[in-house]
């Protein structure tokens, strides 16, 4: 038992030493934590850049460039680890954990959560890292309220923003542990969208990126006339509902503007109409006259082929929908 405890302590010390070397940009200290051989691997998935796989001696070339190069790279201040799992079997071990970076010194940055798995091997009594896989999940980097559901709309998880906002949302709620839309028609659309997401996820459809697997659900207007929208989206294999999501709305309307060839002003006007503004208030928000707004709206109608604002809103919110 003492030998096992010693191994566990030594393995965690290697993990800590590698992290400290990374933060200090000390390549030599980082290098001492890794085995040197053609079989070693470093596999990472980043939100912004996708998957990278580096093998053998190329790992040290990459890390030397990262840690010693003048590339404008700004490391986080500290890391903390959560959900640590460590298994030791003879001269092999694996450890997995969530690593959260302190990003408070970087304005508007969120905490950098990173999911890591490291495999270590004992060489001449010394533990060395032989493989690392790491993944950033986009869910961890989304600011909007998010609710994870299963295929029956049962709530599995909510981020902090959703926990705070959902109890006060005028058009969404929960009943018997399920996420619901308070308007019956929107509720049916929401359930259909969740079932569709589950079907797409289970198919593992080739050549279909997660960015196009989403549906907008119009939830109706609140007492002030503000229109509410939520999105059923697939991220990191999770069925998610986002709401009060300005990034998702902007992405949706940018795509719609490209599809229908809307000008910049027409796209801005369309956004105002989608969030429930009437034409006069939309014109005021854009600092244009009501007559100019009417002219732009007519041109939007001509380009989209609809002749009423409710139909226009439905069209814009589903402009990028595809049969998958």
């Amino acid at each position: 038992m003492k030998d096992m405890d010693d191994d566990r302590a030594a393995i965690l010390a290697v993990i800590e030493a590698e992290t400290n070397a990374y933060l200090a940009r000390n390549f030599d200290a980082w290098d001492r934590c890794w085995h040197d051989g053609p079989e070693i691997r470093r596999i990472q998935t980043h939100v912004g850049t996708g998957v990278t796989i580096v093998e053998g001696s190329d790992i040290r070339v990459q890390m030397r460039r990262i840690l010693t190069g003048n590339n404008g790279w700004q490391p986080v201040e500290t890391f903390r680890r959560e959900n640590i799992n460590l298994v030791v079997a003879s001269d092999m071990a694996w450890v997995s954990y969530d690593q959260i970076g302190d990003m408070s010194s970087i304005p508007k940055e969120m905490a950098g959560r990173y999911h890591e798995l490291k495999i270590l091997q004992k060489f001449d009594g010394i533990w060395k890292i032989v493989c690392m896989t790491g993944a950033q999940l986009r869910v961890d980097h989304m600011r909007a309220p998010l609710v994870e559901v299963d295929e029956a709309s049962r709530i599995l998880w909510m981020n902090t923003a959703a926990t705070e906002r959902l109890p006060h949302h005028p058009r969404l709620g929960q009943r018997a542990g399920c996420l619901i839309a308070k308007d019956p028609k929107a509720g049916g659309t929401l359930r259909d969208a969740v079932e569709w997401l589950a079907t797409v996820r289970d198919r593992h459809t080739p050549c279909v990126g997660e960015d196009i697997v989403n549906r907008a659900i119009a939830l109706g207007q609140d007492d002030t006339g503000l229109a509410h929208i939520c999105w059923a989206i697939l991220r990191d294999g999770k069925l998610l509902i986002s709401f009060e999501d300005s990034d998702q709305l902007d992405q949706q309307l940018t795509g719609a503007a490209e599809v229908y060839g809307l000008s910049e002003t027409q796209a801005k006007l369309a956004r105002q109409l989608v969030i429930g503004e009437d034409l006069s208030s939309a014109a005021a928000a854009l600092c244009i006259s009501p007559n100019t707004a009417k002219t732009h709206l007519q041109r939007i109608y001509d380009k989209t082929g609809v002749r009423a604002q409710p139909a226009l809103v439905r069209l814009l919110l589903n402009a990028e929908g595809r049969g998958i």
Side-chain angles (χ1 to χ4, degrees), residues 153 171-172 179-194 217-219:
S153 296
R171 310 303 295 172
L172 284 174
L179 183 69
I180 63 164
K182 296 177 182 179
D183 175 75
K185 182 178 179 181
T189 305
L190 178 59
R191 288 191 298 272
D192 290 345
V194 170
I217 298 100
L219 300 171

Side-chain angles (χ1 to χ4, degrees), residues 238-277:
K238 301 177 185 294
L239 313 180
L240 298 170
I241 306 300
S242 73
F243 56 94
E244 297 179 358
D245 191 342
S246 59
D247 290 340
Q248 189 71 36
L249 178 59
D250 288 342
Q251 179 180 327
Q252 187 82 37
L253 294 180
T254 296
E258 292 175 355
V259 168
Y260 294 108
L262 304 184
S263 70
E264 182 179 351
T265 301
Q266 290 164 6
K268 290 179 179 179
L269 177 62
R271 192 187 198 284
Q272 295 296 314
L273 298 177
V274 166
I275 65 174
E277 301 286 1

Side-chain angles (χ1 to χ4, degrees), residues 19 22-23 76-81 99-102 112 114:
T19 297
Y22 180 86
L23 291 174
V76 299
E77 296 173 358
T78 59
F79 285 117
R80 73 177 190 275
R81 296 185 189 89
Q99 187 160 269
I100 298 92
D102 177 6
Y114 201 68

Side-chain angles (χ1 to χ4, degrees), residues 44-46 97-100 112-116 134-136:
Q44 295 176 283
T45 302
H46 289 281
Y97 49 85
D98 297 334
Q99 187 160 269
I100 298 92
R113 182 180 296 270
Y114 201 68
H115 307 270
E116 284 198 351
Q136 285 182 328

Side-chain angles (χ1 to χ4, degrees), residues 1-131:
M1 181 63 71
K2 183 178 184 302
D3 288 344
M4 183 68 72
D5 289 341
D6 289 345
D7 279 333
R8 292 175 66 89
I11 289 164
L12 292 175
V14 172
I15 300 299
E16 188 70 21
E18 191 214 25
T19 297
N20 290 337
Y22 180 86
L23 291 174
R25 302 183 70 163
N26 186 333
F27 173 77
D28 292 335
W30 177 92
D31 183 55
R32 288 193 290 271
C33 299
W34 277 75
H35 175 57
D36 188 5
E39 73 276 19
I40 65 175
R41 297 289 186 273
R42 198 165 184 264
I43 305 166
Q44 295 176 283
T45 302
H46 289 281
V47 169
T49 57
V51 179
T52 59
I53 302 173
V54 189
E55 305 175 355
S57 60
D58 289 341
I59 294 175
R60 283 176 164 80
V61 173
Q62 180 196 59
M63 291 306 298
R64 185 183 293 276
R65 183 172 62 249
I66 290 173
L67 297 179
T68 65
N70 184 19
N71 52 20
W73 171 69
Q74 182 176 359
V76 299
E77 296 173 358
T78 59
F79 285 117
R80 73 177 190 275
R81 296 185 189 89
E82 298 176 352
N83 304 320
I84 298 175
N85 292 289
L86 173 58
V87 176
V88 183
S90 185
D91 62 349
M92 296 291 294
W94 63 264
V95 57
S96 65
Y97 49 85
D98 297 334
Q99 187 160 269
I100 298 92
D102 177 6
M103 309 290 281
S104 58
S105 65
I106 306 175
K108 299 183 180 180
E109 280 293 333
M110 302 175 68
R113 182 180 296 270
Y114 201 68
H115 307 270
E116 284 198 351
L117 168 65
K118 285 189 170 81
I119 301 173
L120 296 91
Q121 189 171 351
K122 188 188 284 187
F123 297 92
D124 298 326
I126 300 175
W127 288 99
K128 299 277 189 177
I129 301 169
V130 295
C131 182

